[in-house]
Amino acid sequence: MPFFNYKGRDSNGALVQGVLEGQDSSALASQLFSRSITPIEIQAQATPSTAPNISIKLFEEKVETIDVMLFSRQMYTLLKAGIPILQALNGLQASTQNKAFADVIGDIRENLGSGRELSSALAQHPKVFSNFYVNMVRVGETTGMLDTIFLRLFDHLEFERFMRDQIKSALRYPVFVVIAMAIAIVVVNLFVVPAFAKVFQSFGAELPILTRGLLNFSRFMVAAWPFLVVAIVGGTFLFRSYIATSAGKFNWDSFKLKTPLAGKIIHKATMARFARSFALASKSGVPITSGLKLVAQTADNDYISSKIEQMREGVERGESILRTASNSGVFNPIVLQMIAVGEESGALDDLMQEVADMYQRDVEYEIKTLGAQIEPILIVFLGVMVLILALGIFLPIWDLGNIALHKN
């Protein structure tokens, strides 16, 4: 939608001006009247040039989560000290080390100077500030608790970052081992087994079935490795394209929760983020239905998000949170009991905070014990691989040795 420059008078007769987005001047006038502003002049902004920008920034800095975390903490400190928002943003823009984020802060400051609200200015950068973040800031503007909201958002982002790091550390070891095994299989079949195949051909004897299977598989890999590489690359591309669709991501997120070992860690981490986000929204005065809608967007798992949406629809129909949580099938009995107590006592936000802490402790414990759970599986798998390789290669040598001893 286009942007319009406007001038008007507020309810006190003071002159106000700024920039707003609207479908046309009539829609913008209605929007101004709803804000108790009588428009005097409305002009469409000049459309910026649509010529493509061909400049390529290969080494452009990206805005990381830690940048938004520090921004939230510093905004809390500055607003708590009574510093105006524009002055606070000016200082943060000058002090930040990330040039990309400095540009974002500068754009936010310009939008505020032109009459926009802080939440609307943040919404112009969806890749930096999530919808949940923007809506929480909007709640802070409405309730006059903007400084407190920024502190809670800092704690929320810190928790989110911690949970993501925990999941990555949990998956790093098994992924590394699986990749190492795959590389070992490729090296053995492309280089080791063919060397022994030449030796076996010189024997002129019938080889055991295990050796023949090993040699046939090696010949297949040697002959078809270009096609296998193309198949792997193509399969990866198709998989990424599939999970980029809404149905594909939903099915993939559902599958991840059912995978052995890692599935329960992902589930608990996702539920911890849900509980922490819901507690934050509730403490900030967001209605339950609106809070569930916002929290569903922060779940980072489409399957869990759909369950949260079902909870919201149930609450809108008049059902209790306990009933909707039970019907979702994603909470364990202990959590359901805590939800019941929180709903009855009116302290649901505090109890959800306890739920988040409980899930967080479970995730930390699962990660600490993940190595002990995976090691037996890996040992068995490696043992089977070594056994097949050893028997396939050494059985013919053993048979020929026995034949030679009997001849002597």
Side-chain angles (χ1 to χ4, degrees):
M1 290 189 293
F3 290 92
F4 295 86
N5 297 313
Y6 72 88
K7 292 181 181 179
R9 300 279 181 181
D10 60 14
S11 57
N12 298 322
L15 179 66
V16 293
Q17 59 183 357
V19 179
L20 284 176
E21 187 179 8
Q23 292 182 347
D24 50 35
S25 58
S26 300
L28 188 67
S30 301
Q31 186 177 352
L32 291 173
F33 278 121
S34 65
R35 298 185 180 185
S36 301
I37 297 176
T38 303
I40 299 175
E41 180 182 348
I42 298 177
Q43 291 182 344
Q45 276 191 342
T47 304
S49 174
T50 57
N53 185 4
I54 309 177
S55 60
I56 300 175
K57 300 179 180 178
L58 296 176
F59 303 102
E60 182 181 10
E61 286 187 280
K62 294 182 179 180
V63 179
E64 304 291 345
T65 303
I66 186 66
D67 297 315
V68 183
M69 285 173 55
L70 293 176
F71 170 80
S72 304
R73 181 70 186 189
Q74 291 166 341
M75 284 295 293
Y76 161 74
T77 304
L78 294 171
L79 294 178
K80 190 73 174 177
I83 298 176
I85 293 180
L86 282 174
Q87 185 178 346
L89 290 173
N90 189 39
L92 292 178
Q93 182 184 4
S95 62
T96 184
Q97 299 296 318
N98 190 320
K99 300 303 180 183
F101 194 50
D103 294 339
V104 171
I105 296 176
D107 185 69
I108 294 171
R109 186 168 56 83
E110 292 177 3
N111 281 312
L112 284 177
S114 64
R116 284 195 176 187
E117 296 178 336
L118 179 59
S119 56
S120 300
L122 295 177
Q124 300 302 309
H125 303 276
K127 293 183 178 180
V128 179
F129 302 100
S130 66
N131 192 35
F132 180 80
Y133 193 102
V134 172
N135 280 280
M136 292 305 300
V137 171
R138 184 172 290 117
V139 169
E141 291 173 328
T142 305
T143 60
M145 299 170 53
L146 192 57
D147 53 348
T148 305
I149 290 295
F150 273 117
L151 179 61
R152 291 176 179 173
L153 284 171
F154 168 77
D155 295 333
H156 173 75
L157 291 173
E158 187 178 36
F159 174 78
E160 289 275 301
R161 185 166 178 255
F162 170 79
M163 296 308 296
R164 278 194 293 266
D165 290 343
Q166 291 288 297
I167 293 177
K168 288 180 181 178
S169 63
L171 299 179
R172 188 177 296 118
Y173 176 67
V175 169
F176 174 78
V177 172
V178 170
I179 292 175
M181 287 182 177
I183 294 175
I185 292 174
V186 171
V187 171
V188 167
N189 283 281
L190 292 183
F191 302 102
V192 178
V193 176
F196 280 95
K198 296 178 181 178
V199 177
F200 295 152
Q201 287 178 358
S202 63
F203 291 167
E206 184 179 358
L207 299 175
I209 185 172
L210 186 60
T211 305
R212 294 199 302 271
L214 195 63
L215 293 177
N216 289 332
F217 183 71
S218 176
R219 292 191 191 100
F220 168 74
M221 288 196 65
V222 170
W225 70 265
F227 304 101
L228 293 175
V229 171
V230 172
I232 292 173
V233 173
T236 303
F237 175 77
L238 291 175
F239 173 75
R240 288 182 175 273
S241 301
Y242 175 69
I243 63 175
T245 63
S246 56
K249 190 173 188 307
F250 179 87
N251 293 331
W252 173 239
D253 287 340
S254 176
F255 172 77
K256 286 191 295 186
L257 298 175
K258 299 173 184 177
T259 55
L261 301 179
K264 57 183 179 182
I265 297 177
I266 296 173
H267 176 262
K268 290 179 179 179
T270 305
M271 296 311 300
R273 286 199 296 268
F274 158 73
R276 182 67 63 95
S277 302
F278 186 73
L280 171 59
S282 298
K283 287 182 179 180
S284 302
V286 179
I288 291 179
T289 53
S290 300
L292 288 172
K293 184 176 182 179
L294 289 175
V295 170
Q297 300 169 359
T298 67
D300 198 26
N301 186 291
D302 283 7
Y303 179 79
I304 298 295
S305 296
S306 67
K307 297 297 183 181
I308 299 173
E309 282 291 338
Q310 291 177 11
M311 291 176 60
R312 181 185 63 81
E313 294 171 359
V315 172
E316 288 180 343
R317 291 194 299 267
E319 299 179 10
S320 65
I321 299 179
L322 175 62
R323 181 178 179 84
T324 57
S326 301
N327 293 335
S328 68
V330 295
F331 294 97
N332 62 41
I334 297 177
V335 174
L336 292 175
Q337 185 177 357
M338 295 177 70
I339 292 176
V341 173
E343 197 170 17
E344 292 178 2
S345 62
L348 185 61
D349 51 356
D350 293 330
L351 267 296
M352 292 303 289
Q353 184 71 41
E354 292 293 330
V355 169
D357 294 338
M358 185 188 72
Y359 273 124
Q360 179 178 342
R361 289 191 294 269
D362 286 347
V363 170
E364 293 177 0
Y365 174 78
E366 293 287 351
I367 290 174
K368 289 179 181 178
T369 59
L370 182 63
Q373 300 177 54
I374 291 178
E375 282 178 4
I377 300 174
L378 296 179
I379 291 173
V380 171
F381 186 72
L382 283 173
V384 172
M385 282 182 54
V386 172
L387 180 63
I388 293 174
L389 185 63
L391 291 178
I393 292 177
F394 292 109
L395 271 179
I397 301 176
W398 177 264
D399 292 341
L400 289 173
N402 288 335
I403 294 173
L405 288 175
H406 284 97
K407 287 183 179 180
N408 293 332

